[in-house]
Amino acid sequence: MHNSYRQAKFLLSCPSLKGCPNDSGYEVIFAGRSNAGKSSAINTLTEQKKLAKVSRTPGRTQHLVFFELENDRRLVDLPGYGYAKVPDSVKQDWHQNMSQYFDNRKCIKAAILVMDCRHPLKPFDQMMLEWCINSKVPVNILLTKSDKLKKGAASSARLSVMKAVKDSPSINVQLFSSLKKEGVPELCTYLDKIFEMSNEG
Ligand code: GDP
């Protein structure tokens, strides 16, 4: 199938809402706890080995990173946290920056919330979900590292997450593996719908 995300290019990175690109077009954000597999998922989606930096020093890079697609569409890599060693001051800054970004940015069309399929719905993930639900941003929960589980266990992990979020509208749950390149077409289809790619020639 055609993967239009291959053309993603680094646009800019900035520490807060201030340096973001103009609030126009369509943005899909990628969020997840550190080590969930978010950078790997972005690299797998875009078929680029080093577009998103894998295994950054936790808590060090608190930048929003924007990747440009065609026609004013962007993928945004949000800084993650989740390690105990991230200092409280960094977490506070993160909260402030993220709530500003969420509350003010109209071009956010969806969120890809990346979770390790073996450890889903941690407090960070619940907080992100709540944020998205309150801002009416649809979410695709990407249960990644699915290669770490047997097929049956992976699909029950997916079912139990689906059950946990069933009362919230606009939440999709899918399995993904960067190692095995599984779940890529499903993610592309989800993004195409959000970006309304199918409406264009
Ligand atoms: P991030 O902190 O969320 O950006 O996570 P990374 O993408 O840096 O991945 C964290 C670690 O998990 C790295 O050692 C990756 O190689 C590993 N990893 C990421 N995705 C997968 C996957 O789908 N399968 C397996 N087995 N390992 C993965």
Side-chain angles (χ1 to χ4, degrees):
M1 84 168 257
H2 180 66
N3 175 352
S4 31
Y5 303 97
R6 259 186 226 149
Q7 50 162 320
K9 280 193 209 79
F10 173 81
L11 176 63
L12 59 87
S13 93
C14 60
S16 67
L17 189 69
K18 258 193 197 153
C20 288
N22 282 343
D23 187 3
S24 66
Y26 294 67
E27 241 158 47
V28 173
I29 62 177
F30 283 70
R33 301 168 68 226
S34 300
N35 217 36
K38 175 167 57 82
S39 313
S40 304
I42 293 173
N43 293 339
T44 300
L45 168 71
T46 58
E47 297 179 19
Q48 300 182 40
K49 286 203 173 78
K50 289 185 187 155
L51 190 63
K53 301 255 184 332
V54 172
S55 294
R56 294 180 193 127
T57 310
R60 200 195 53 169
T61 318
Q62 290 293 315
H63 278 208
L64 298 116
V65 184
F66 292 82
F67 304 108
E68 191 173 30
L69 305 162
E70 274 172 1
N71 299 327
D72 215 6
R73 286 152 166 87
R74 293 173 296 278
L75 304 174
V76 189
D77 187 2
L78 295 191
Y81 69 67
Y83 280 109
K85 56 185 158 188
V86 172
D88 279 349
S89 61
V90 171
K91 287 189 184 172
Q92 276 162 16
D93 283 354
W94 189 95
H95 272 268
Q96 204 179 353
N97 281 334
M98 288 307 113
S99 51
Q100 270 193 2
Y101 174 69
F102 261 90
D103 294 346
N104 293 293
R105 206 129 165 106
K106 295 187 186 61
C107 63
I108 304 174
K109 301 298 178 207
I112 310 299
L113 190 46
V114 182
M115 304 178 200
D116 184 322
C117 64
R118 299 162 301 170
H119 314 287
L121 298 172
K122 295 283 186 198
F124 171 90
D125 305 316
Q126 304 276 11
M127 180 190 73
M128 288 304 305
L129 275 176
E130 217 167 284
W131 241 330
C132 292
I133 291 163
N134 289 341
S135 319
K136 302 205 167 27
V137 171
V139 181
N140 184 22
I141 297 180
L142 206 66
L143 295 175
T144 191
K145 308 195 191 183
S146 65
D147 57 276
K148 297 263 192 189
L149 294 176
K150 292 201 171 111
K151 255 207 155 86
S155 54
S156 10
R158 176 170 173 263
L159 284 176
S160 68
V161 172
M162 283 170 73
K163 208 167 155 193
V165 300
K166 73 175 173 2
D167 293 333
S168 314
S170 311
I171 300 186
N172 186 63
V173 185
Q174 73 154 104
L175 291 165
F176 192 87
S177 165
S178 292
L179 189 76
K180 295 271 171 74
K181 315 264 180 268
E182 280 167 7
V184 181
E186 196 176 339
L187 177 57
C188 287
T189 304
Y190 182 88
L191 291 170
D192 285 354
K193 269 195 205 137
I194 296 291
F195 282 129
E196 295 176 12
M197 294 292 202
S198 52
N199 294 339
E200 291 171 12

